[in-house]
């Protein structure tokens, strides 16, 4: 049965083939509560700080999603990689930090995109193991780590926001350096008029 959108726009969507994807809506809802500064800027209540219980819950939700992927891991390497991530999160759950070490949403949004034409047929995300090119609208990012590791943005985003390291090499992600604005000393007098 076609949806109203499909009927009105005379299009037909195929069923999504990305069956290993997990729903992270609850994770991001909690993340928005736990994050120290909301995307809009200042904290609504400056005295409301995340509790260790909140941060442990956030890591537990991420761990649950990775466990879901682990149960359907297509290869032993993927299963082992997911187990490493799950174990890392165990430490965060047992001894939760008072604040998240993850990166901001702005950092995630600014990650370098990998052009589709540069991807090979067998290139896949290390987290979900789905070949990038199976997704008609894949969004692959390269992390600013030494290995320039690539992931589906949808897969790596929750890890980066909460843990703040590359899932592969564990290199800390830091904000990209801002490009300094160069002021020309010759134009110090702003009141000059040109004829």
């Amino acid at each position: 049965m076609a949806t109203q959108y499909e009927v009105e726009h005379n299009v037909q969507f195929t069923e999504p083939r990305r069956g290993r994807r997990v729903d992270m809506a609850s994770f991001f809802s909690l993340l928005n509560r736990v994050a120290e500064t909301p995307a809009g800027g200042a904290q609504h209540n400056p005295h409301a700080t995340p509790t260790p219980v909140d941060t442990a819950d956030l890591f537990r939700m991420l761990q649950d999603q990775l466990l879901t992927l682990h149960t359907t891991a297509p290869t032993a390497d993927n299963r082992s990689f997911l187990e490493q991530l799950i174990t890392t999160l165990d430490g965060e759950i047992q001894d939760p930090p008072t604040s998240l070490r993850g990166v901001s949403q702005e950092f995630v949004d600014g990650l370098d995109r990998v052009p589709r034409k540069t991807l090979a047929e067998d290139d896949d995300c290390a987290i979900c193991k789905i070949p990038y090119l199976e997704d008609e609208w894949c969004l692959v990012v390269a992390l600013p780590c030494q290995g320039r590791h690539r992931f589906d943005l949808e897969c790596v985003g929750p890890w980066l926001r909460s843990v703040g390291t590359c899932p592969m090499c564990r290199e800390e992600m830091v904000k990209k350096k801002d490009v300094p604005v160069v002021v020309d000393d010759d134009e110090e007098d702003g009141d000059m008029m040109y004829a």
Side-chain angles (χ1 to χ4, degrees), residues 53 120 154 183 189:
V53 172
E154 188 177 355
V183 177
D189 188 10

Side-chain angles (χ1 to χ4, degrees), residues 49-179:
T49 58
T51 66
V53 172
D54 291 332
T55 54
D57 285 346
L58 185 74
F59 290 120
R60 190 171 291 110
M61 291 177 94
L62 180 56
Q63 187 182 53
D64 288 346
Q65 300 305 338
L66 293 172
L67 282 166
T68 300
L69 291 174
H70 180 268
T71 60
T72 59
T75 66
D77 286 343
N78 180 242
R79 192 173 302 103
S80 175
F81 175 64
L82 292 171
E83 286 169 2
Q84 291 172 11
L85 298 180
I86 290 165
T87 301
T88 298
L89 292 172
D90 270 338
E92 301 291 349
I93 292 167
Q94 298 304 318
D95 186 20
T98 55
S99 64
L100 294 178
R101 292 182 301 272
V103 299
S104 68
Q105 185 61 46
E106 290 78 19
F107 179 89
V108 173
D109 293 342
L111 289 171
D112 293 335
R113 298 327 196 231
V114 178
R116 184 180 178 87
K117 63 185 173 193
T118 65
L119 299 171
E121 282 293 321
D122 60 344
D123 287 346
D124 60 13
C125 176
I127 297 173
C128 70
K129 291 308 281 181
I130 297 173
Y132 298 127
L133 295 178
E134 275 189 18
D135 185 350
E136 187 176 352
W137 297 284
C138 64
L139 184 50
V140 181
V141 294
L143 300 187
C145 58
Q146 292 289 351
R148 301 282 299 157
H149 294 115
R150 296 176 174 185
F151 300 92
D152 284 315
L153 180 61
E154 188 177 355
C155 289
V156 77
W159 180 271
L160 292 174
R161 292 292 317 277
S162 54
V163 180
T165 63
C166 171
M168 296 287 288
C169 64
R170 305 301 167 87
E171 185 177 327
E172 291 284 331
M173 297 291 107
V174 293
K175 289 188 175 184
K176 293 181 181 177
K177 294 182 180 176
D178 294 328
V179 177

